[in-house]
Every structure is written in structure tokens, then in C-alpha cells.
Amino acid sequence: MPTLADVAREAGVSKATASRALMRPDMVAAPTLERVRSAAERLDFQPNRAARALTTGRTGMIGLIVPTLANPFFAPLVLGAQRAAEETDSLLLLTVSEYDARREAALADRIADQVDGLVMVAPVGTDRALRERARHRPLVLVDRKVGRLPSVVLDTAQGTSELVAHLLELGHREIAYVSGPPGSWADARRRDAMRAQTEAAGARLHVLGPLPPTFDAGIEAVGALPEGVTAAVAYNSYLALGLLHGLEAAGIKVPGEMSIAAADDLTTLAATTPSVTALGVPVEEAGRLAVVRLLEICAGPRRTVADRLPTAVHPRDSTAPPRRP
Amino acid sequence: MPTLADVAREAGVSKATASRALMRPDMVAAPTLERVRSAAERLDFQPNRAARALTTGRTGMIGLIVPTLANPFFAPLVLGAQRAAEETDSLLLLTVSEYDARREAALADRIADQVDGLVMVAPVGTDRALRERARHRPLVLVDRKVGRLPSVVLDTAQGTSELVAHLLELGHREIAYVSGPPGSWADARRRDAMRAQTEAAGARLHVLGPLPPTFDAGIEAVGALPEGVTAAVAYNSYLALGLLHGLEAAGIKVPGEMSIAAADDLTTLAATTPSVTALGVPVEEAGRLAVVRLLEICAGPRRTVADRLPTAVHPRDSTAPPRRP
DNA sequence: CTGAAAGCGCTAACAC
DNA sequence: GTGTTAGCGCTTTCAG
């Protein structure tokens, strides 16, 4: 491994100049710059990150904590974050908290001093813990808001109320919300938004749950759908798939006897029979933006940013007017 | 942030002794050890990893490259790897190659000098590139073998031939293999194993593909199933789900007219109608073991290890005897 | 615009 | 067993 000293010698300059040429090209005369660059090229010089980190205090790594990878929902999030990191020559340190606040805290502590900042998808866990963490390192929250902490939220609250509007328009008046994990920040927002929307229309929202956001839970939820309900919105795709399956097993026609919709949109939803009406969510963009914001914060003064990403209703075959009694 | 010097002063010893006490407790007298430990505790001392990396040449990080996260198949792999890393106080640097050999190479180059070693899930890409990479850094391959490079393989070749045995036993004689991504190492192994198994039994294997391992490709594959075939094994769960859906749409009964099985086992396969016979694969264990092996290699002499993890057929409702003509 | 020199925090020889 | 010393490779004052 060639070092900066090698490059400097090869270019016939001092280490300081070599360093400047590579880091701050505008601080160096054009011909010198060229010499250093070509020397670095020739030697295939890769700066030693540890050494750089030691002097600058910046590691060039950013931490990303997600609750799980078992749900493909997070795949584009990670991808978006990785792409954004690549563009600035940063690296992603990824950890999975498994929806466990204690584990999340332990992991965050463990990596905090190795990264320049942290992007966290932390649906559960206390505001306090997140606030505290933000005091030490730059922190960007995804799909959650805590006070004035920087955040990127997928506006599924707005989205679910559009989903409800879609159902109301079809004529539904008794709508169920099959809600997600207990304590989920986004879940509570959606519930509130849907409630407001239904009540304003003189309709009724029946909340089931909280439920684990799984296929199986969706199946079981079918038994708990209140009498008279003609449409159900599920917290996520898995619950919706479970509903679909459970309804089929129970001999209840979709959308004839029951309309269903999901508040996110895994690709399989478009391919089921019937295809499932869902909320398109810019997940990759959220990952990308979170990293961009984090790097802004690392660079400049700690501005407060709160981005809100719009979602879009994808109407499909699982929603239709209720059967007239 | 307190440094080792602070700890040393607080404990009334030299930096060297403090360092030894923390790193090699057995090289230090018991009372000294105690003093240093309590000093470190009191100050909440966290060693600076960059500094340590600079002197030791070891970063305490290991790289993990996976082709995608959109397939939940890889979730337990990452989790297993992360758990193993945690246990040795290492950190995981995760990157996603998106099944793109060029991207994979670029990412590997980028992180190579930041990690002590690399675990790669590299189903595509050339042997040569992997061999070359292994010359620079310790490398453990997952689900692929290249010469004598250390590897952890999920023995789905053996597994698929057991799947075929299961089908043969049911009476099938014309079996299709709906194969996976072009150039996939594991796919080729499975194909060979299944071919051998069918031919030995005087039956026939019809290979479809290569195909992208997706739900949609599975649907389309239905149209390509040769006349006379009564059972199909799919490269993965998505293809199998696609088959199931496509067959249903085509009015072909499963398992009455066509048996299907998958060569991996996402949880949804157990919950479809009918549930799908599949190959249980110890994915989390593979992730764990790969990291363990990597750390062994980093520590000791570069031994050649090749682990082969057994899989298990999970018979479900999608396989049954063929309809007698 | 460039060079010399200091030092980031830690570990590893090498003495004592 | 413990302390002293010398760097690891880089960035950054500070002079020139």
C-alpha cells in the first residue's frame, strides 16, 4: 500500500502539498496539482482512512439502523442510502435492531463513535432516547418525528386518508383499519388521519389491533372484522396479503363483499388475484434524502430539516363499491 | 471523549500499562488491572478505533456484500452475520451489489482497505475476479465455491435432488426445473444434481430458463412448461409463487394437475393455498458461520475451509401424485 | 503557493 | 510487570 509520502516523493513535493493537492485542489498551483495527481494515479494511491480519521475526527462512515430486513420494504431504503453515501464517498454501516429498543440503543452506542452521523428508522422506542442520542452525533430520523430533530417522513398519514377518500367515494361507510405494531409512530399518525377523514364524511372507522405486521396476523384479523364493515385498510402489505388470504379462506369475496387496501406497496400486491389497491411510497428516495440531509448537517451548522415525502394511491382490483344491501 | 492517557493518569500508570490492562489483562498484575479497569469505567473510556486501526492495521470491521435485499432470503443472512460480528466486537459494513458484477467489484474495492476481511455472496461474476480479490484480503464466499477459497455453501444441490426424490416417489416422471439467474453458480449445481437424480431413475428433467428469480418470471414460465410435465421445481420462492399464481390463472390445479416445489423457503410459502413444498435452508447459520470463518482466517494462518450446510425438504400441499392418465 | 514540523490516540518493541 | 519511546499515515498550523 503506497502512502502519501510515496506520492509526495514520486511527485517531487512535500507531504503537505500532496495532501492539499488531493484534498483541496484549489490551494495548489495547476502544474503541481497535475504532478501530484498523476503520481497518485500511477501508484494507485488509496488514502488510509484510519489515519485520516485520526487527524480530522471524521470517519467518512454513516450509520444506518433499520428495524428489520425481513420486510422488503426496507430494501430500497438501504439502497437509496447506500447510493447517496457512495456519491459522497462515504460508507454505510448498517445494523438491524429487530424492533427491539434495547438492542437498538446498544447498537447505536456501539457504532456512534465510528460514524460521522446516524440515520435511524426507529418506529418504536422513546422520544427521550432519540433526543438524547441526537445530542452526541448528528441524527436523521426516518418516518418519525421527535420535536425538532431532523427527519424524513413518508407521508402515509396523508396517504391513508386519500385511501379512505377513495373508499368513501366508492360508497363505503364502515371502514376498518387493521393497525400495525404497538407503539409505532407512523401507525398512530395514520390512525388519526383516517379517523378525521371518516368522521368528516359521517362514516365510521373501526380500528383493529395493534397487530404484528405479518401475513399470519392478517389472516387472523379476518375473524375480528366487525359486522357491517365493507372495507379494510391494512397497515402494510403483509397484513393486506393475510387479509386477502383469510377472506378467501372464509369464502368472503374481494372486492365483492369486502374491499381491501394496503398502506404500503410491495410489488407482489400488484400480482395477486385480485390485485390489491395500495399506497405507493417513495422509500428509496427517503433513504437517499436522509443521507443527504445527514451529510448536510455534518458539514454545516445543525439546521433543522423536516422533509415530508408524498405518497400516491394506486387503485387496483381489490377495492370496489360495497354490495348494496 | 477521554483518551487512554486520561485513563492512565487516573489509574496512576503509564499509557502502555493501561493499554495492556485493557487489551491483554493477563500481562498485568491483578491490582493494577483493577485500578485501570475502574479508571476506565469511571471515565467511560471508549478506545478510539481509528487510532487503534492505525497502529494495528486492523479495523475491527468486516465487509458483507449481498446481491440484493429485495429478496427477504438475505435478511437472516445479514442478521446471522451481524450477530456473529457483534460477539467479537466487530462491525458489519454492508453493501448491495444488485447482481451487478461491475458494481460488486467497485464496492469491494472501495471497502477493501476499510475492513479486515470480506464475506461475499456473489452468485454471478467470474471466478477470476474472486480469486484476485482473495489475494489481498481474507475472503469467505457464501453459496459459491471457487477453487480452494474458503466458503460456506448451502447444500441446495443435495437438497434439490431430495426434492426430486420426493417427486419421483410420488410417481412423477417428467419434471421441470424452472431455473434462476443466468450464470448463477448455485443454479448450475442444482441443475446438475437434479439431472443426475432424474436420469438415474429413468425419469426426465426439463430445464426452463435461465430466468430472473421473480414472481413475474414465474407467471410467464407457466406458458413454457413442456407438455407432459407433471411437476416443477423452482429456483426460488418467488418463481414458485409466480408458478402457483400463473397455474391458477390458467385453470391448472395444484397439486392435482401439477405439483410444484421451491428450492428455498420464504415464510409465505407455508401460507399460500395450497401451501408450497419447499427446501428449508439454514440461511442465518450460513451468515453466522461465514463471519466466524472469516475471523478465524484473520486471526490464524489462512486455512482452507469449506463448510457445507444441510438443507431439509418441507413437504406441503403443493406436491402430490400425478394424475393417472 | 509550498515545506517543515507537530500531533491525532493508540500499540508494540525494547529497556528497566 | 511496568515505563519509555517510537512510530502508524494523515492533516494542519505556522513560516517562508
Side-chain angles (χ1 to χ4, degrees), chain B residues 36-307:
Chain B
V36 174
R37 278 201 173 143
S38 79
E41 179 87 13
R42 225 169 315 143
L43 269 42
D44 188 28
F45 169 70
Q46 301 286 119
N48 180 319
R49 305 277 171 168
R52 178 178 291 176
L54 192 54
T55 41
T56 61
R58 305 194 42 182
T59 60
M61 296 195 294
I62 71 170
L64 173 59
I65 304 187
V66 297
T68 182
L69 290 176
N71 185 342
F73 177 87
F74 293 103
L77 194 294
V78 174
L79 207 55
Q82 187 181 305
R83 289 235 168 89
E86 262 171 61
E87 277 167 24
T88 56
D89 205 36
S90 305
L91 245 32
L92 256 206
L93 214 50
L94 180 92
T95 59
V96 180
S97 68
E98 299 183 85
Y99 288 105
D100 176 342
R102 293 168 52 102
R103 187 172 156 81
E104 180 177 274
L107 289 169
D109 282 340
R110 172 72 180 75
I111 68 173
D113 61 321
Q114 300 256 59
V115 298
D116 296 333
L118 225 43
V119 172
M120 289 179 73
V121 186
V124 298
T126 66
D127 284 11
R128 222 176 90 67
L130 293 171
R131 268 217 189 75
E132 187 53 34
R133 188 159 305 287
R135 302 171 58 85
H136 302 304
R137 290 269 172 219
L139 172 66
V140 173
L141 260 22
V142 173
D143 224 8
R144 171 150 184 183
K145 264 175 98 166
V146 173
R148 312 168 78 39
L149 294 185
S151 65
V152 173
V153 345
L154 295 159
D155 200 353
T156 47
Q158 170 65 21
T160 46
S161 70
E162 285 169 20
L163 229 31
V164 167
H166 166 70
L167 293 170
L168 291 170
E169 202 171 323
L170 289 170
H172 296 275
R173 285 297 170 269
E174 302 285 331
I175 299 173
Y177 176 49
V178 181
S179 66
S184 159
W185 184 87
D187 186 63
R189 298 300 154 289
R190 295 177 198 175
R191 206 186 311 132
D192 294 348
M194 295 172 74
R195 179 107 59 195
Q197 180 79 3
T198 43
E199 288 185 354
R204 203 129 61 111
L205 186 74
H206 305 261
V207 176
L208 273 61
L211 261 35
T214 62
F215 186 85
D216 289 348
I219 293 179
E220 289 187 23
V222 168
L225 285 171
E227 195 66 31
V229 161
T230 59
V233 176
Y235 170 79
N236 77 351
S237 296
Y238 286 135
L239 280 169
L241 288 168
L243 283 177
L244 186 61
H245 189 257
L247 288 166
E248 186 190 346
I252 301 173
K253 297 270 178 295
V254 176
E257 298 168 83
M258 183 72 69
S259 287
I260 68 174
D264 68 12
D265 191 12
L266 295 191
T267 52
T268 47
L269 291 192
T272 52
T273 328
S275 60
V276 178
T277 295
L279 200 58
V281 176
V283 184
E284 179 166 348
E285 170 62 11
R288 197 194 63 77
L289 192 56
V291 167
V292 168
R293 292 297 183 231
L294 182 64
L295 292 169
E296 285 172 7
I297 293 170
C298 290
R302 195 162 309 193
R303 298 180 323 161
T304 287
V305 287
D307 295 284

Side-chain angles (χ1 to χ4, degrees), chain A residues 189-251:
Chain A
R189 297 301 155 289
R190 295 177 199 175
R191 205 186 313 132
D192 293 349
M194 295 173 75
R195 178 106 58 196
Q197 180 80 4
T198 42
E199 289 185 353
R204 203 131 59 115
L205 186 74
H206 304 261
V207 176
L208 273 60
L211 260 35
T214 63
F215 186 85
D216 289 349
I219 294 179
E220 289 186 24
V222 169
L225 287 172
E227 195 69 28
V229 162
T230 58
V233 175
Y235 170 79
N236 77 350
S237 296
Y238 286 134
L239 280 169
L241 288 168
L243 282 177
L244 186 61
H245 189 258
L247 288 166
E248 185 189 345

